[in-house]
Amino acid sequence: MDKTRQVWLETLERHRRDADAPASEKYWSEALETCSRDELIAIQNDKLRALTPFLYENSAFYRRRFDRLGLAPTDIRTVDDLEKWPVVDKSEMMEDATANPPYGTYSTVGETEWADRGWMLFSSSGSTGVPRVFRYTHIDRGYWEWANARALYSMGIRRGDSVFPMVGFGPHVWIWGAMYAFARMGIAVIPGGGMDAEARARAIDRFRPTVIAGTPSYALYLGRTMERLGLDPRGSSVKTLFTGGEPAMGIDRTRERLEELWGCRTVEFYGCTESSPHVGGYSCEASVRPGETTFTHLMEDVQIWELVDPDDGKRVPEGERGLTVCTSLNSESSPQLRFLVGDYTVYDTGPCACGRTHVRAMGSFTGRADDLLNLRGVKFFPSQVEQAVRSIEGIGDEFEIVLRTNDDGLDVMDLRVEHASDDVAEEVGAAVRSRCEVRVGVEVLPPDTLPKTEFKAKRVRDERG
């Protein structure tokens, strides 16, 4: 093992606390989760000093970038030094993966480490460009389950709960990390892969899990399936809906619809394949309170989270809106330096009612910058359309955004929704116009017309020339 790898792994281990069991009833690691801002920054700086030489020696992608920028690893030793390093975006990684198949050179695990302690390969879920793959080791897995256990514990999930994950495992980073965390926490799991919605509905009725895990879209679909079968999701054993893969907490109307349907609370993991092994963002028991802004915590002793301006890439001050950027400080294989995750949010480092001192993303997250729609110069997110659609009484769970070019060569947007009455078209159009500042054509379809979402929702169909 080379010296920089040894120093990096020793540094990670030095800052791990309460690895195997919770320190108290309220916090898995009280020493880390309630420490001062100064203590958090000191941990981040100590890890950065070990990270940059490790990247330089073990990733050709990062070594070329350091040399091209005229920087040495010793030039980035503190959080304040990070601005010397331009953010890394997905396109840069795609180019590297194309030039260096099949793995690219942005990882710090090579053939030797993969053969010795390889654990799992995950692929990016983006819909464009070359897939970026990430090989994680069993060392990563250990840090992953520890950090995720801390996050799940903050949600109030405890021994005595039972979890029903409603996903196909495949390359799903979110649920793999959560499954290992459940094992570390001693929480029972009822496998839910390989089932259709009816089978899952009957499994909930029969085995009575207290936590179900799935995308928000699928949770809506499953709840409606239970109702169709004569089962009451509100009267079920489910107390917590654990979501990932799509925004939930940041879209109030969707979260409220889920909680009304299931009669339970919603919690969320937020993150990306590139900056694992860790969930990234997570809910706490104070994340949703009547009359207050919803938020998501970010675990700062294992990741550095910044917000940058979308136009110039410069860091924005606390309280201003920007795009999320992550430096991963919890991995042997993928410790990315200033990776542009790319969700808009606002940060607040003030103390949380739960007692944790780590930064909060206020309003949570509503979608990647990659999802941003541009219609004749007006930019908006599908999540804004979702908020508008969900605000209409009696509207169905499914909807579709269709972008097309009309006969006059003008780009326009049509919206297909479900409702028992055609009379809501004008109301839907007005709701969208008030949130997105665009006029839309609205087609109202009978209930249960549109295809049901059984995993991640694909709401946008772009047919523009």
Side-chain angles (χ1 to χ4, degrees):
M1 184 180 294
D2 70 90
K3 182 64 174 177
T4 61
R5 186 180 299 271
Q6 181 179 344
V7 170
W8 174 238
L9 294 178
E10 288 173 352
T11 303
L12 293 186
E13 193 61 27
R14 185 166 64 248
H15 290 293
R16 182 158 61 161
R17 301 283 186 275
D18 309 302
D20 298 318
S24 69
E25 178 54 35
K26 189 174 181 181
Y27 307 103
W28 188 280
S29 183
E30 187 165 1
L32 289 172
E33 291 163 37
T34 65
C35 65
S36 69
R37 298 296 308 169
D38 287 343
E39 288 173 308
L40 278 174
I41 292 170
I43 292 171
Q44 292 173 343
N45 289 344
D46 190 43
K47 288 187 174 183
L48 272 177
R49 284 190 288 272
L51 171 60
T52 50
F54 173 59
L55 284 173
Y56 191 86
E57 293 297 329
N58 291 278
S59 166
F61 173 87
Y62 278 98
R63 184 163 54 253
R64 289 192 300 269
R65 212 171 190 266
F66 269 106
D67 293 345
R68 186 173 69 250
L69 293 168
L71 293 171
T74 51
D75 290 327
I76 302 175
R77 297 175 59 82
T78 70
V79 174
D80 290 337
D81 293 331
L82 284 173
E83 288 193 274
K84 300 174 185 176
W85 183 263
V87 296
V88 176
D89 65 21
K90 296 174 186 177
S91 63
E92 198 171 345
M93 281 187 175
M94 287 176 189
E95 291 172 7
D96 180 64
T98 301
N100 301 279
Y103 301 115
T105 63
Y106 42 75
S107 175
T108 48
V109 62
E111 297 308 316
T112 299
E113 291 79 23
W114 184 243
D116 177 64
R117 53 185 176 276
W119 168 53
M120 187 86 67
L121 181 149
F122 294 102
S123 178
S124 61
S125 59
S127 58
T128 61
V130 176
R132 289 152 292 125
V133 294
F134 298 85
R135 294 184 291 180
Y136 286 106
T137 68
H138 283 284
I139 290 175
D140 292 305
R141 179 187 54 73
Y143 285 113
W144 204 331
E145 64 186 59
W146 164 68
N148 279 10
R150 289 170 55 188
L152 290 163
Y153 202 76
S154 80
M155 298 174 177
I157 296 174
R158 295 288 186 274
R159 189 182 291 253
D161 281 315
S162 59
V163 181
F164 185 50
M166 308 177 299
V167 298
F169 282 80
H172 209 302
V173 170
W174 160 54
I175 206 65
W176 274 108
M179 286 291 289
Y180 277 87
F182 292 138
R184 180 167 292 212
M185 298 170 77
I187 291 175
V189 173
I190 303 164
M195 298 181 181
D196 62 17
E198 288 195 11
R200 285 173 174 153
R202 296 190 191 285
I204 290 171
D205 185 55
R206 181 179 181 186
F207 300 120
R208 302 187 57 78
T210 57
V211 181
I212 58 174
T215 63
S217 300
Y218 188 78
L220 284 171
Y221 172 56
L222 183 64
R224 303 304 180 197
T225 300
M226 290 187 74
E227 291 179 330
R228 181 170 55 81
L229 294 173
L231 303 172
D232 179 15
R234 283 188 64 86
S236 73
S237 57
V238 176
K239 306 301 180 189
T240 302
L241 174 58
F242 171 37
T243 66
E246 294 173 354
M249 300 293 286
I251 306 177
D252 293 339
R253 295 294 186 180
T254 295
R255 191 192 74 251
E256 290 163 2
R257 180 173 288 217
L258 283 167
E259 292 177 348
E260 174 64 25
L261 176 63
W262 285 94
C264 69
R265 67 192 186 105
T266 306
V267 293
E268 180 178 69
F269 266 14
Y270 160 82
C272 62
T273 305
E274 296 85 352
S275 60
S276 298
H278 177 36
V279 54
Y282 58 97
S283 308
C284 72
E285 292 185 297
S287 285
V288 180
R289 291 190 169 186
E292 297 183 12
T293 302
T294 301
F295 61 82
T296 299
H297 274 289
L298 296 162
M299 197 175 289
E300 292 185 274
D301 61 287
V302 299
Q303 291 171 326
I304 299 170
W305 285 92
E306 305 170 81
L307 291 179
V308 299
D309 185 281
D311 295 321
D312 60 19
K314 294 188 181 300
R315 187 185 291 170
V316 301
E318 182 176 337
E320 293 189 13
R321 191 168 179 260
L323 292 176
T324 51
V325 169
C326 181
T327 295
S328 178
L329 304 173
N330 200 44
S331 175
E332 176 187 22
S333 306
S334 189
Q336 306 299 332
L337 185 61
R338 296 199 89 200
F339 176 73
L340 180 65
V341 182
D343 289 271
Y344 282 102
T345 194
V346 175
Y347 286 165
D348 184 350
T349 58
C352 179
C354 76
R356 290 171 179 82
T357 53
H358 296 222
V359 68
R360 294 174 294 161
M362 306 308 293
S364 298
F365 304 95
T366 56
R368 299 270 140 94
D370 294 353
D371 299 329
L372 189 68
L373 300 177
N374 187 332
L375 184 67
R376 304 191 304 275
V378 179
K379 297 178 180 179
F380 56 94
F381 286 98
S383 58
Q384 292 171 260
V385 179
E386 184 171 345
Q387 285 274 34
V389 170
R390 304 283 196 221
S391 70
I392 307 302
E393 186 71 28
I395 207 83
D397 295 328
E398 303 297 337
F399 66 93
E400 184 179 40
I401 299 167
V402 181
L403 303 171
R404 60 183 178 87
T405 303
N406 67 15
D407 293 339
D408 297 323
L410 187 69
D411 288 346
V412 297
M413 183 171 99
D414 296 324
L415 188 60
R416 306 176 75 211
V417 300
E418 297 177 340
H419 199 280
S421 171
D422 291 339
D423 296 338
V424 299
E426 186 175 339
E427 187 180 359
V428 171
V432 172
R433 190 163 60 250
S434 70
R435 288 169 171 81
C436 305
E437 299 181 349
V438 295
R439 292 186 179 276
V440 297
V442 179
E443 180 184 5
V444 181
L445 304 169
D448 299 320
T449 300
L450 292 168
K452 300 303 178 185
T453 298
E454 297 199 26
F455 183 50
K456 277 191 177 186
K458 294 183 179 179
R459 306 276 187 209
V460 181
R461 182 152 53 92
D462 195 339
E463 300 177 346
R464 291 177 290 187

